[in-house]
Every structure is written in structure tokens, then in C-alpha cells.
Amino acid sequence: SVFMYLPPSMFYPAFCLKLAAASGIPFHLIIKLSVVAADAGIAVLLFGLGLKLAGRRRAVLWGTLYAFNPVSILIVSFHGSITSLMTPLMLAAYLLFSIDHRRYLRSCALLLGLATAWRSFPILLLPLFLTALPSRRDRAVFTAYVLVPNLLWALPFLWADWRAMLSAITAYSGWGLHHGAFGALRALRLVSIG
């Protein structure tokens, strides 16, 4: 069996295990606290986006609705999926981009790249960012800052067995829903064949 995500997502639980051994804090608590912190960060980032895009009243509403959303509370408290750790990265990239994309171009791209390293579907946001950039040079720099770190993280694994890694990443699907960077392509194919 080959892990179907890029290395940062795979190494995070190992990091938490090492942190648990070094600190004496139980592993499950470290994992849960990181997911709770990510959800709190999502609420704060939604508040920040609301301030930027819709005013203070809606900003408070956006942050509060997420913070007390029963689905997110259930996922954090019961399921404990670490997938939510990438959402603050995507939101932070978008918030910084909406504040000043020229000033935060590289930071936004690195945040989106890290979110993409965590799970592959945030790459679907790349065209959203690219279409908002004014120059070909900015689009090239943004794309490079998103993709090159992911390639560097994947390089040792690609070197060891590129067929197995690419097969795991591109062929992964779960519970009838297709995930991964090629999920959108699968969906288009299914739509085209009826």
C-alpha cells in the first residue's frame, strides 16, 4: 500500500507522535488540539474575510456560524480528521491575496502550495488566483511557488518508485467519491459519457 497524499500530510502524524514522546502529552490529544486550533483559525479567518469583503456585521456572522456549526464540531470532536488543517492555509492565502496580491504574492502561493501538499484538491483554486493576477510574470511566479515545493517534497518518493506514487495519487477514490488532483478530470469524463 502506498500513501495517496504528498509527504507533508504523511509526516504530520509522525511529527505529532514524536512531539507526544518528547512532551509527555498523549498523541491523541496533540492531534485533536491541532484540529481544534485549525477550526478556531478557520473561524477567525472567515471573520477576517468578512471584514474585507462584507463589513463587520457579516464578518461576525461568518465567523460565528462556522464556530458553532454542528458539522464542524462533530468532525473535530468525534471524527478527528486532520484534513481540516489545510483549510486555514487556503483561507489565509485568499485573505492575503484579497488584501494585497502584489505584496503577498509569494506568501499566498506558498500557503496554497502547502494546502495542496496536505490534500491535492486545493490545486483546483489555482486558476482562481491566476485569473486575478495582472501579468504573465506574476502568474508564472505564483504557479512556481505553488508547484515547486510540492515537487521537491515528492522528489525522493518519485525517485524511489514513481509509478507507485503517481498511481496512488491519481487513482485514489473513497466511498464512491473521487478525490485527488484528477477527481475533476474523472468527473468530466463521467459527464461526457453520460
Side-chain angles (χ1 to χ4, degrees):
S1 175
V2 177
F3 197 68
M4 70 289 268
Y5 303 116
L6 290 174
S9 181
M10 173 177 54
F11 292 138
Y12 181 72
F15 168 76
C16 289
L17 192 59
K18 292 282 188 187
L19 186 59
S23 68
I25 300 170
F27 170 76
H28 69 277
L29 190 58
I30 290 174
I31 288 284
K32 287 279 189 177
L33 287 175
S34 64
V35 176
V36 168
D39 257 20
I42 292 168
V44 169
L45 287 163
L46 286 172
F47 173 77
L49 275 170
L51 282 177
K52 174 72 177 149
L53 303 174
R56 183 166 184 75
R57 184 176 177 164
R58 286 208 176 161
V60 170
L61 182 65
W62 291 4
T64 304
L65 285 175
Y66 185 82
F68 295 105
N69 177 356
V71 174
S72 60
I73 291 170
L74 180 65
I75 289 171
V76 167
S77 64
F78 178 73
H79 188 267
S81 174
I82 61 172
T83 303
S84 65
L85 294 173
M86 70 164 167
T87 307
L89 299 170
M90 295 185 314
L91 287 171
Y94 184 71
L95 178 60
L96 289 174
F97 193 87
S98 68
I99 291 171
D100 186 350
H101 66 269
R102 286 183 188 89
R103 181 176 178 192
Y104 298 115
L105 181 78
R106 289 168 181 80
S107 300
C108 298
L110 287 172
L111 287 166
L112 184 62
L114 188 54
T116 301
W118 200 259
R119 294 293 187 266
S120 55
F121 69 83
I123 197 70
L124 297 173
L125 296 176
L126 185 60
L128 172 80
F129 287 97
L130 295 180
T131 57
L133 291 171
S135 73
R136 186 175 292 164
R137 181 190 176 284
D138 286 347
R139 289 189 290 275
V141 167
F142 194 91
T143 302
Y145 271 76
V146 170
L147 298 180
V148 169
N150 285 310
L151 179 62
L152 293 175
W153 283 321
L155 210 52
F157 298 91
L158 289 168
W159 183 265
D161 190 351
W162 66 271
R163 285 184 182 99
M165 184 175 180
L166 290 179
S167 174
I169 290 173
T170 59
Y172 173 70
S173 67
W175 299 101
L177 299 174
H178 296 283
H179 303 285
F182 293 94
L185 294 176
R186 281 192 212 109
L188 288 174
R189 181 172 181 275
L190 290 173
V191 168
S192 71
I193 61 174

